[in-house]
Amino acid sequence: MADTNGNGRNVIIFVADGLRNGSVNPIDTPTLYSVRQQGVSFANSHSLFPTFTTPNASAIATGHYLGDTGDFSNTIYTGFPSPNANGTVTPFIENDAVLGDIDEKFPGNNFLDEESLLAYARSQGFNTAAVGKLGPVAIQDVTQVNREGGTTGTIPTPDTIIIDDTTNGATPPPTAAGSPSGVPLDPDIVARLQAAGLDVKPTPRVQPAGNNTTPGTLNANVAQQQYFADATTKVILPKFQEDGKPFALVYWSRDPDGTQHNQGDSLNTLTPGINGSTSKAGVKNADDNLKQLLDYLKSTGLDKTTDVFITADHGFSTISKQAIDSQGTKTTSYAATQTYAGVNLGFLPAGFVAIDLAHDLGLPLYDPNPTTLPPDLNQIQYATVDATKGQRPISGNGVIGGTGKVINGQLDPGTKIVVAANGGSDLIYLPNGNADLAKQVVNLLSQKDYISGIFVDDAYGDIPGALPLSAIRLKGDAKTPVPSIVINFKTFSTDPSNPNNPQAQVEIADTTLQQGQGMHGSFGRGDTFNNMEAIGPDFKQGYVDYAPVSNADVTPTLARILGLDIPSNGDLKGRAITEALVGGPDVVFQR
């Protein structure tokens, strides 16, 4: 069996955000392909549903399923207005300041309520670092972005080195509360960055998304990620070597995700979708970053003591805003019959679920995402949304019923429904826990032509047309509000010769992005079939693992290698992938 005492062992988790398993080949990704051949290839890997970044970041960080971490999607209902998200109760949490807002409300200032690999390794004397994409990087050691004095305070210098988009006050600018939004750096790291010829502020990402008449970006996120790769190989890893202590490091490549989301190769058309040249450049960008890290390990001899686990938080799909199947059948959604600025006629607008439910129930709809910070977070009036007047929720989220007011820091108790729009799936909350309303909403949703799966909180019992959240491990020990209903949108293929080809998957998506751009979040195999592989002294060579493996299995496996017994609160835990380790069994799953 692999070395389990942790002596001299280091681990790196490399996350290529949004990298589909089928995108790895010897032409576009020679480094990833080489690792797949030389190390362990996980042929039956999967992302956790909902297949979004922060939920899977929480699983990668802690080894727990989402029912325990409470990180149910990139946009969640928190139950309180977030100061660093303009007072919304449905914040987008790929943001360090917002993560700090949420942490403050939960025990131990840790909304995940689980210990992460980096946090526990740090407590055991390891050097730790997380580098790359804003949001999931901080989630790897989430208490490190908590603020002194609460949400309006400043972030102390973390013990884990955190370098993301906002480090040291880089964009975005200071929060409306007046505090710096960035994570500070230790003076030693600042000096090392400067000595390496690097700015103390990461290179900004410049990838415009375009709109329904203007294509998005035609460039991968090369400059920003080159900064992150240089900071890792020229500053962080050399420091760790000098210190002579074991280390655990997470490198989170925003590409290919950021490029696939915003690519301008396929405006309003389903092909090439996310399979065009710009998306391929994003895939190559991630591969180049990995090569730089592996080359450094080999040149310094660290490859002899360092295990590298490569994964993707999710796969990807091309967005459809009108067609619901491969035959081109158009949605009959009420929301798609209305006219909105910036939305093509007959297309689904962002917020179509909230619009449709409000219409069907005859209830008022409010937009819980203010464009500016209200003067008093305890008393807020959210704007009314009237689809018949061309109005739609700015981010797709919706508050349905009641007055749309926040009273004494809480939503109006008359509120019936909160919709958190996310992309290939949406979360629906019933703040009053009304079982009859849950049945009514499920019945309405089951009639929508854009929905293919409905999951309901076990607390409501059996509801026809829905499965329980526990069936997909979304019901556990979570401290955040648990969604009452989770809906999955339809997926289909643009490949007539192979309707099951994950690389050709298209999905209905509740998003502000355009048809033809990229999204994820669904239960379709295009979104769940992520790329996973591993290499290093404790992993087998040239081994193909056909057993099911998920992102919740990464930390248990690396903890086994490092000899760490990470404490747990919840019971929804991944497994150590023992068959992939030197000395492990040949198979644990028979094809």
Side-chain angles (χ1 to χ4, degrees):
M1 198 68 172
D3 177 8
T4 58
N5 61 21
N7 290 336
R9 284 296 190 253
N10 313 300
V11 296
I12 294 177
I13 300 174
F14 182 93
V15 184
D17 199 305
L19 180 62
R20 297 171 288 170
N21 186 283
S23 294
V24 175
N25 60 66
I27 304 301
D28 298 321
T29 56
T31 305
L32 286 158
Y33 184 79
S34 176
V35 172
R36 186 180 284 187
Q37 302 303 307
Q38 296 178 26
V40 177
S41 172
F42 299 103
N44 192 13
S45 61
H46 64 92
S47 171
L48 301 186
F49 175 81
T51 48
F52 291 106
T53 296
T54 67
N56 279 272
S58 75
I60 292 168
T62 67
H64 282 256
Y65 286 82
L66 314 183
D68 279 351
T69 69
D71 189 339
F72 294 105
S73 210
N74 286 347
T75 297
I76 60 175
Y77 169 60
T78 56
F80 61 88
S82 175
N84 287 291
N86 283 340
T88 182
V89 291
T90 54
F92 181 67
I93 65 174
E94 285 187 16
N95 182 297
D96 295 342
V98 172
L99 289 172
D101 287 351
I102 301 172
D103 269 345
E104 187 190 18
K105 300 292 185 178
F106 295 95
N109 287 325
N110 178 3
F111 83 97
L112 301 177
D113 197 41
E114 296 292 351
E115 190 87 334
S116 71
L117 174 67
L118 290 195
Y120 191 71
R122 174 167 52 81
S123 74
Q124 300 303 303
F126 282 64
N127 274 331
T128 53
V131 182
K133 182 179 179 180
L134 178 67
V137 158
I139 285 173
Q140 302 311 301
D141 198 349
V142 74
T143 63
Q144 297 288 283
V145 295
N146 290 332
R147 294 168 178 272
E148 293 178 330
T151 55
T152 60
T154 58
I155 300 173
T157 301
D159 293 318
T160 287
I161 300 169
I162 294 177
I163 298 181
D164 63 21
D165 301 49
T166 64
T167 293
N168 199 41
T171 54
T175 65
S179 57
S181 62
V183 181
L185 290 170
D186 184 275
D188 178 55
I189 297 298
V190 170
R192 289 173 181 267
L193 286 168
Q194 293 171 334
L198 297 173
D199 198 333
V200 295
K201 297 180 181 180
T203 304
R205 175 189 176 212
V206 182
Q207 290 188 299
N211 54 43
N212 67 317
T213 59
T214 303
T217 188
L218 297 177
N219 299 297
N221 188 37
V222 174
Q224 184 187 66
Q225 292 193 196
Q226 186 61 61
Y227 176 93
F228 290 140
D230 287 345
T232 303
T233 59
K234 297 180 180 181
V235 174
I236 296 173
L237 289 176
K239 171 182 168 49
F240 287 176
Q241 283 182 283
E242 289 179 23
D243 289 348
K245 296 164 60 176
F247 65 81
L249 182 146
V250 176
Y251 184 94
W252 201 292
S253 167
R254 184 187 293 276
D255 263 345
D257 175 273
T259 299
Q260 290 173 166
H261 273 309
N262 288 2
Q263 54 81 17
D265 295 337
S266 196
L267 181 61
N268 295 322
T269 64
L270 301 183
T271 56
I274 57 168
N275 294 306
S277 58
T278 304
S279 294
K280 285 190 174 185
V283 171
K284 181 181 184 300
N285 190 28
D287 193 74
D288 289 343
N289 286 182
L290 177 63
K291 182 179 188 301
Q292 184 169 334
L293 265 64
L294 295 181
D295 284 350
Y296 180 86
L297 296 181
K298 186 174 182 180
S299 69
T300 59
L302 278 174
D303 61 321
K304 302 296 191 298
T305 57
T306 304
D307 290 296
V308 181
F309 199 110
I310 300 162
T311 189
D313 48 344
H314 49 73
F316 239 82
S317 299
T318 298
I319 296 168
S320 173
K321 289 295 191 78
Q322 187 176 45
I324 58 171
D325 57 34
S326 57
Q327 287 73 47
T329 305
K330 297 178 181 179
T331 181
T332 59
S333 161
Y334 165 77
T337 67
Q338 303 303 301
T339 301
Y340 315 87
V343 178
N344 293 352
L345 290 176
F347 278 33
L348 291 165
F352 61 84
V353 170
I355 292 171
D356 280 352
L357 281 178
H359 172 262
D360 292 348
L361 293 167
L363 294 172
L365 172 63
Y366 306 95
D367 187 344
N369 287 82
T371 56
T372 58
L373 183 68
D376 182 358
L377 288 177
N378 290 313
Q379 309 293 328
I380 303 173
Q381 173 65 67
Y382 293 134
T384 301
V385 176
D386 186 345
T388 65
K389 297 179 180 178
Q391 299 168 0
R392 59 184 177 87
I394 187 170
S395 298
N397 309 312
V399 168
I400 300 173
T403 63
K405 292 182 179 180
V406 171
I407 304 171
N408 296 324
Q410 302 290 324
L411 264 180
D412 171 8
T415 301
K416 303 295 185 183
I417 300 169
V418 178
V419 178
N422 276 278
S425 56
D426 278 3
L427 309 180
I428 296 176
Y429 299 81
L430 308 181
N432 294 319
N434 187 312
D436 289 335
L437 180 59
K439 293 177 182 178
Q440 185 179 11
V441 171
V442 168
N443 179 56
L444 290 171
L445 291 172
S446 66
Q447 300 174 52
K448 303 304 178 189
D449 56 16
Y450 47 71
I451 289 178
S452 70
I454 304 174
F455 304 89
V456 178
D457 188 340
D458 299 54
Y460 295 111
D462 293 333
I463 296 181
L467 292 172
L469 291 184
S470 59
I472 52 175
R473 298 199 174 188
L474 292 183
K475 186 71 172 178
D477 195 46
K479 303 306 178 189
T480 60
V482 177
S484 302
I485 302 168
V486 178
I487 54 177
N488 173 58
F489 296 123
K490 280 186 176 178
T491 60
F492 59 92
S493 175
T494 57
D495 183 355
S497 64
N498 183 8
N500 296 317
N501 178 6
Q503 295 294 110
Q505 180 167 294
V506 174
E507 70 186 25
I508 302 295
D510 197 353
T511 175
T512 57
L513 293 172
Q514 308 304 315
Q515 177 161 290
Q517 292 186 305
M519 186 44 76
H520 46 88
S522 80
F523 230 137
R525 193 56 172 145
D527 288 356
T528 65
F529 196 18
N530 61 339
N531 178 70
M532 293 181 73
E533 51 197 67
I535 196 167
D538 293 291
F539 287 101
K540 292 177 178 177
Q541 296 181 16
Y543 178 74
V544 179
D545 190 347
Y546 293 100
V549 175
S550 85
N551 280 329
D553 303 330
V554 177
T555 274
T557 303
L558 298 181
R560 172 75 65 92
I561 289 171
L562 297 174
L564 299 178
D565 185 12
I566 304 175
S568 296
N569 290 320
D571 296 324
L572 299 179
K573 296 185 286 186
R575 68 180 181 93
I577 313 170
T578 56
E579 72 277 9
L581 300 177
V582 173
D586 289 336
V587 294
V588 294
F589 173 79
Q590 190 67 43
R591 284 187 294 166

